[in-house]
Amino acid sequence: GINAEYGVKQSQLNVVWQIIRAGLMKDINLKTYPAFKRLLQEGETVAKLMAKTPEDLLMRWVNFHLNRVCDHKQCRNFYKDIQDGEVYTYLLTAIAPGDTDLLPLRETDLEDRMEMLLEYAEDLDVLNFVTPRVIIKGNIKLNTAFVAQLFNAFPSMEMEDQVDQLDDFDDMCYNEESEYFCEETREEKSFRHWLNSLNFSPYVSYLFEDLRDGYLLLKVFDVLKPGMVNMDEVNEPPFKPLQHVYRSMENGNYCIQLGNELGFKLVGIEGSNIYEGNKLLLSLLWQMMRYYTLSLMQMGDKEITETEVIEWCNNKLREDKIKKGRSVFKSFKDSSLTNSHALLDLIDVIQPGSIGYDIVLSDNSQESKLENARYCLTMARKIGATVFALPEDIVEGNHKMIGLVFARLMKVGANL
């Protein structure tokens, strides 16, 4: 119906935005641009600054430049605060002082003001994602994209002391006080991709920092089993400074309670571990992602088990008259799965002719296994399977992630 079509269109638009966002924001981080250290606030660690989203860094960048040229203007958002064009006018003057000026502020007609601003941006070779009406209406995504383009073209924020250009980047990757790491593991990246696929706001950029108040996890639990979360018991951020710790821990304890209700194995895990960014959080996230994947594959009220996934996959592999079940396996821990042949065969059974076997490698070297895994995951997504595993997960025999790939393929092949 109309609602379904609207939902599909919205989903497609969201995918397009994520692609655009990824391209624009890829260099807006502390590792690529160390001068962001100048945006540190009093008492803030570098590790916590690294955990900020690109949008957060852009907001700080804008205000950094506003403070240089104007003592009365601040930007708190990319919709309401930019609708009069003043923020853009002062920002352009700060980052490109020889090529722009404050003349747009003399225009009382907003559309004429915006036209002048965008002409300045065009003269600076900045790709415009906005029109005068877009700025006036306060479209968040398009204005964010425009600000990102301005930053990418004219960051105008060099380190005050060039010796401070990260003599030892390891100091940024690990901070003893905060215990936050900047380099995420493959497992953490998979969890982050899964969480972001659920389209919650805010976007998860750094797993441990963005989940520590427990709020997003509670929203995920309500997706796992709709209605199980009593919103009256949920503390919604932002919290007052003196309330942040115990409000977050209350949410964390509620997460553990809900996990136990779903039968998760959470021995030794407490709500405080979530707030502290303890690695035990990964155990909870793994069980949440597994529950989510298997819950999508219910037959009526009956949930599919891992044994049933293995049985279904092997039966499909045996159906192939040419390969004659050459890739059947006993468990997701089978070492034979690391070359991706079983996954590739299963994809080809589900969608005959989809796999180009002339490019599938069989020498079992690590390089060949990695190439097969990349091809396998690409083709799995191409036939409609939503997978969050990385090629290295398959090659290294990560049975948890391998099992989820097979489960997702079963969902496509069995039309569950």
Side-chain angles (χ1 to χ4, degrees), residues 247-317:
R247 293 290 188 192
S248 297
M249 287 195 177
E250 282 181 342
N251 282 347
N253 288 329
Y254 192 22
C255 288
I256 302 303
Q257 175 188 326
L258 295 173
N260 286 324
E261 289 178 15
L262 293 179
F264 293 173
K265 296 178 180 179
L266 301 173
V267 178
I269 304 179
E270 301 176 348
S272 59
N273 297 141
I274 298 173
Y275 177 76
E276 294 163 357
N278 192 295
K279 291 285 183 177
L280 289 171
L281 171 63
L282 300 179
S283 174
L284 173 64
L285 285 172
W286 157 246
Q287 294 179 78
M288 293 176 75
M289 187 166 78
R290 177 181 176 277
Y291 185 95
Y292 175 79
T293 298
L294 295 180
S295 69
L296 294 178
M297 305 169 58
Q298 289 184 329
M299 292 182 176
D301 294 330
K302 182 178 179 294
E303 292 184 4
I304 302 296
T305 65
E306 289 186 5
T307 301
E308 289 170 321
V309 173
I310 294 172
E311 183 179 356
W312 183 89
C313 291
N314 281 331
N315 287 338
K316 293 297 288 185
L317 290 170

Side-chain angles (χ1 to χ4, degrees), residues 15 36 40-41 45 57 64 97 131 144 149 153 169 173 179 205 220 227 241 251 261 301 325-326 357 368-369 387 393:
V15 171
F36 273 128
L40 279 168
Q41 297 176 350
T45 64
L57 292 176
F64 170 84
T131 64
T144 301
Q149 283 290 82
F169 189 73
C173 293
E179 294 187 356
S205 294
V220 176
N251 282 347
E261 289 178 15
D301 294 330
R326 68 181 183 189
Y357 281 97
S368 294
K369 286 182 176 181
V387 294
D393 291 325

Side-chain angles (χ1 to χ4, degrees), residues 371-384:
E371 286 301 314
N372 285 349
R374 291 193 184 105
Y375 182 45
C376 162
L377 294 176
T378 297
M379 295 309 299
R381 295 183 181 106
K382 193 170 183 179
I383 69 170

Side-chain angles (χ1 to χ4, degrees), residues 139-409:
N139 184 298
I140 299 177
K141 290 180 179 177
L142 292 180
N143 276 294
T144 301
F146 182 53
V147 174
Q149 283 290 82
L150 290 174
F151 171 83
N152 289 329
F154 295 94
S156 304
M157 191 177 61
E158 299 306 318
M159 296 296 288
E160 292 177 317
D161 181 358
Q162 293 301 318
V163 178
D164 195 30
Q165 288 257 3
L166 302 186
D167 299 326
D168 185 358
F169 189 73
D170 289 340
D171 289 343
M172 291 178 59
C173 293
Y174 177 73
N175 179 281
E176 290 185 358
E177 177 186 349
S178 65
E179 294 187 356
Y180 290 128
F181 291 79
C182 69
E183 295 294 340
E184 63 183 356
T185 65
R186 289 195 297 274
E187 184 181 29
E188 291 162 11
K189 183 181 292 186
S190 296
F191 292 147
R192 184 168 58 81
H193 287 173
W194 168 62
L195 290 169
N196 286 326
S197 76
L198 301 177
N199 292 324
F200 286 127
S201 180
Y203 187 88
V204 178
S205 294
Y206 188 72
L207 205 63
F208 297 102
E209 176 70 13
D210 293 345
L211 299 183
R212 65 193 309 235
D213 62 21
Y215 182 66
L216 183 61
L217 288 173
L218 290 171
K219 292 169 73 173
V220 176
F221 270 110
D222 205 49
V223 170
L224 299 185
K225 189 174 181 181
M228 81 173 303
V229 179
N230 181 355
M231 297 309 295
D232 292 336
E233 296 185 27
V234 175
N235 299 317
E236 183 174 355
F239 306 129
K240 295 179 180 179
L242 295 179
Q243 297 178 343
H244 190 277
V245 175
Y246 76 84
R247 293 290 188 192
S248 297
M249 287 195 177
E250 282 181 342
N251 282 347
N253 288 329
Y254 192 22
C255 288
I256 302 303
Q257 175 188 326
L258 295 173
N260 286 324
E261 289 178 15
L262 293 179
F264 293 173
K265 296 178 180 179
L266 301 173
V267 178
I269 304 179
E270 301 176 348
S272 59
N273 297 141
I274 298 173
Y275 177 76
E276 294 163 357
N278 192 295
K279 291 285 183 177
L280 289 171
L281 171 63
L282 300 179
S283 174
L284 173 64
L285 285 172
W286 157 246
Q287 294 179 78
M288 293 176 75
M289 187 166 78
R290 177 181 176 277
Y291 185 95
Y292 175 79
T293 298
L294 295 180
S295 69
L296 294 178
M297 305 169 58
Q298 289 184 329
M299 292 182 176
D301 294 330
K302 182 178 179 294
E303 292 184 4
I304 302 296
T305 65
E306 289 186 5
T307 301
E308 289 170 321
V309 173
I310 294 172
E311 183 179 356
W312 183 89
C313 291
N314 281 331
N315 287 338
K316 293 297 288 185
L317 290 170
R318 292 188 184 98
E319 287 179 11
D320 193 310
K321 304 295 188 218
I322 299 176
K323 305 179 192 66
K324 298 178 181 178
R326 68 181 183 189
S327 301
V328 296
F329 56 96
K330 293 182 179 180
S331 79
F332 298 133
K333 294 181 180 181
D334 276 15
S335 60
S336 63
L337 298 179
T338 61
N339 62 15
S340 298
H341 288 182
L343 286 164
L344 289 164
D345 285 351
L346 183 60
I347 292 169
D348 200 60
V349 173
I350 294 172
Q351 189 166 311
S354 59
I355 299 300
Y357 281 97
D358 55 325
I359 62 174
V360 176
L361 304 173
S362 57
D363 59 17
N364 272 338
S365 67
Q366 287 298 104
E367 293 79 7
S368 294
K369 286 182 176 181
L370 197 57
E371 286 301 314
N372 285 349
R374 291 193 184 105
Y375 182 45
C376 162
L377 294 176
T378 297
M379 295 309 299
R381 295 183 181 106
K382 193 170 183 179
I383 69 170
T386 305
V387 294
F388 304 101
L390 300 173
E392 292 82 0
D393 291 325
I394 298 175
V395 173
E396 295 176 6
N398 183 331
H399 65 278
K400 294 179 179 179
M401 299 307 295
I402 289 173
L404 291 184
V405 177
F406 275 111
R408 286 289 186 166
L409 290 172

